[in-house]
Amino acid sequence: MLKTLLIGIKDVKLAFRDRAALIFMLLAPFLLTLGMGLVTGRFSGGNSTGISDIPVVIVNLDEGELGQALVDTFNSEELADLVEPSPGTSPEAARQLVEDDKAAAAIIIPMGFTRSVIPQTGDFDNGSEPEVLQIELYANPTRPTSAGIVKSILDEFMSRIEEGSVSGQVSIMQLLISGRISPQDAEAAGQEMTEKLQNAPDDDTLAIALNTSTADGAEVDFDILAYLAPGMALMFLMFTVSYGGRSILAEKAQGTLPRLLVSPTNSTQILGGKVFGIFLTGAAQMFILIGGTSLLFQLKWGDPLGVIVLVLAAVFGATGWGMIITALAQTPAQVGSVGSALMLIFGILGGSFIQLDQMPAYVQAISRITPNSWALDGFTTLALGGTLAALSTPVTALLTMGGILFVASVILFGRKNLAQK
Amino acid sequence: MENILEVQNLVKNYGDFQAVKGISFSIKDGEIFSLLGPNGAGKTTTISMLSTLYAPTSGDATIAGHSITKDAMGVRNAIGVVPQDLALYEDLSARENLIFWGQMYGLSGASLKNRVEEVLNQIGLVDKAKDRVKTYSGGMKRRVNIGVGLLHKPKLLFMDEPTVGIDPQSRRAILDTVKDLNKQGMTVLYTTHYMEEAEELSNRVGIIDHGRLIAIGTQKELTRQVGESETLILHIGENEDPEALVTAFKGIKGVLEANAIDHEISVVTPSAADVMAPVVTKANERGIKIHSIDIREPNLEAVFLHLTGRALRD
């Protein structure tokens, strides 16, 4: 076990002393993130998310002001570039559009929604509480980012409704206690207050900010860099794992692997050490990039525990790919060229350059073989305020992927003659 | 003295090609044993099997009582290996390399630190210990390569052509190191295709050719095989035909053997003085100008020539 760790640490040291490798591991993803951030206006005060025209179907069955306010929010000028709302004829039809991948999400506002939030005269006459109705969000699982953005807009709207409702009730109660209004005037006063809240001039703090809340209630902005930075980091993680895999064959060619094999170190310790080295290097790369972008771009990656778990799972999945490439290749050069090709293909398929939501369904299905795709889902979830608990699917997928590839590569390595130069 | 290494009928096949064809020999504790043979003779394959890198096709060997086929770990703990090609991490310094390899041999803590400093002293690289190996000269790299093999004070050190491709000064330093190590009690199995190195270093020599051990013994025992003969070495012009002369020389009374390599003709005879005149005459008769003539005492080169009909460097 100790020798495995020592071999792994030695490999990390060697990787971080290789200037050419450092350029690909750290500088290239950093600069590409910076460049794409500049293109999307992230650093010039703009608010472009790089995501546009998210198709949303809204079925408004409510006859009150709040249902209409939500529809108006989605149709507002501020969100015109981001979302493309269309009215739905029925909940069933709206859900079908989502299932047919013609919409990223469907929002169904139930009949009586406004009245359930703002009770009217007579609602309390029989002594019963009015039924609390909920807006339904029907999300498209193949468009997690777009659906997440729609959810964040909805969350923001609902939180403002909640604020308005509570503050309205408290205010009316205060007016009643102080005798400034009579019980008969309470309904009219409440409705007037709600309308004023809805038409408040600080519209710029409404949904356009794409605010959502984390579990602890803190506000988190959805930042385009929270999508771009992990996309680039994951793409170049594939370089790192293929570089690490390449080092196995390079050590074989340069004679250090045969020398290890004639030391009192068994082949399991050696191979384990090499894999550990790839894993450590990949994890170090990811954490350096995360730390660097957090410091320099003030990028919030989300729940720290979730980020750590997701990074480790992503590196594990990617390491599996690095190992299988190495097990199938004959020379370090082959690993290098196949690794570079895979880095680009996985980068494109995994959504590092183009939003997966904007790709055909079959491409989205194929993308699931890449660690990039699963990890990017996870990072988007975290950036949108999700916590570790919301990462079970991507983390499980990445660990399974890494496990299967690792077992396959061990079988293939068993057939290789590592001693032969 | 006990045998530290005993090799019994070791064979290595690569498909249809037999690289080592059943060799057997032993090495006594404390001696320097050289395996002398041309490139491709099977020296490195033999060392690779003895160091447990390759499994033998058949046969076995024991090193310090450990079988190479049944107790590889026991063998690996007992041996040190200096491979023919450099096997170092060039982006690590000499000290970092020695520390890493020492750890792979189970050294740790103060014993590792002390041993690394001792070896750095031994190979004369204390001042350069912090520099990355990639900045070293070829000779310095060779010294680090040797140092790695010495870290755990092995009972038997395998050195596979450690002087190939280096300058004369570095070669001299390496040969002196080998002699020093042997004086300190280390047993060495040294492979080379340089006759002079085998002659200078070895207590005993095994001559290997085409995967077979064709002779084994002390230098005296081996040269006795070619008798008390001497060798005349004649250098002729580049445009001359040496084969015609070789045929002519073989007809001279007292010539045991004649061979040509490029434009150098070797004539083996019991008395160089007796055949000198007829040799020059034969050359003159054919209009071939002899540039120089050397007389050599019997040596391992002559033994190899005698046994194989070829020069060692062929």
Side-chain angles (χ1 to χ4, degrees), chain A residues 27-40:
Chain A
L27 194 61
F30 192 81
L31 290 179
L32 272 171
T33 302
L34 179 67
M36 292 182 78
L38 287 168
V39 168
T40 55

Side-chain angles (χ1 to χ4, degrees), chain A residues 2-4 6-7 10-11 13-14 17-18 251 254-267 269 274 417 419-421, chain B residues 14 51-54 73 76-77 79 81-83 85-89 91-93 96 100-101 103-106 132 145-146 148-149:
Chain A
L2 179 64
K3 287 184 183 176
T4 301
L6 291 168
I7 292 169
K10 178 264 299 172
D11 277 357
K13 200 184 276 186
L14 287 173
R17 284 186 182 180
D18 184 338
E251 282 216 40
Q254 74 194 26
T256 44
L257 186 59
R259 190 166 211 166
L260 275 170
L261 287 166
V262 298
S263 74
T265 311
N266 64 46
S267 49
Q269 287 173 313
K274 297 300 295 178
N417 184 357
Q420 191 76 50
K421 279 182 77 174
Chain B
Y14 294 109
S51 60
T52 74
L53 186 61
Y54 304 159
M73 273 303 163
R76 290 174 192 175
N77 276 307
I79 62 168
V81 180
V82 179
D85 297 324
L86 296 170
L88 301 167
Y89 297 105
D91 274 322
L92 298 183
S93 68
E96 287 170 329
F100 173 75
W101 289 107
Q103 288 166 331
M104 292 301 107
Y105 278 92
R132 291 191 192 178
N145 203 36
I146 292 172
V148 169

Side-chain angles (χ1 to χ4, degrees), chain A residues 56-74:
Chain A
V56 190
V57 188
I58 304 174
V59 183
N60 185 10
L61 303 175
D62 184 33
E63 290 154 351
E65 299 85 351
L66 294 181
Q68 190 53 48
L70 180 55
V71 172
D72 291 346
T73 298
F74 271 90

Side-chain angles (χ1 to χ4, degrees), chain A residues 185-262:
Chain A
D185 297 332
E187 180 192 340
Q191 283 184 355
E192 188 185 347
M193 205 172 285
T194 303
E195 279 169 18
K196 281 183 178 172
L197 269 170
Q198 290 302 314
N199 297 322
D202 59 340
D203 273 353
D204 59 330
T205 60
L206 278 172
I208 188 61
L210 301 186
N211 283 349
T212 185
S213 297
T214 58
D216 59 5
E219 292 275 308
V220 177
D221 286 332
F222 180 80
D223 185 339
I224 183 58
L225 275 194
Y227 185 85
L228 296 175
M232 289 301 126
L234 288 164
M235 187 173 83
F236 285 94
L237 173 64
M238 286 307 297
F239 164 81
T240 303
V241 296
S242 62
Y243 172 87
R246 183 183 163 278
S247 82
I248 296 177
L249 298 184
E251 282 216 40
K252 186 179 161 186
Q254 74 194 26
T256 44
L257 186 59
R259 190 166 211 166
L260 275 170
L261 287 166
V262 298

Side-chain angles (χ1 to χ4, degrees), chain A residues 400-417:
Chain A
T400 307
M401 179 187 293
I404 291 169
L405 292 170
F406 184 73
V407 169
S409 57
V410 166
I411 293 167
L412 289 169
F413 268 117
R415 294 175 189 165
K416 259 185 188 307
N417 184 357

Side-chain angles (χ1 to χ4, degrees), chain B residues 194-215:
Chain B
Y194 296 123
M195 175 204 68
E196 309 82 19
E197 290 185 2
E199 284 181 347
E200 179 180 341
L201 293 174
S202 320
N203 301 104
R204 288 190 308 135
V205 177
I207 297 179
I208 188 169
D209 187 42
H210 292 310
R212 289 187 198 285
L213 199 60
I214 55 176

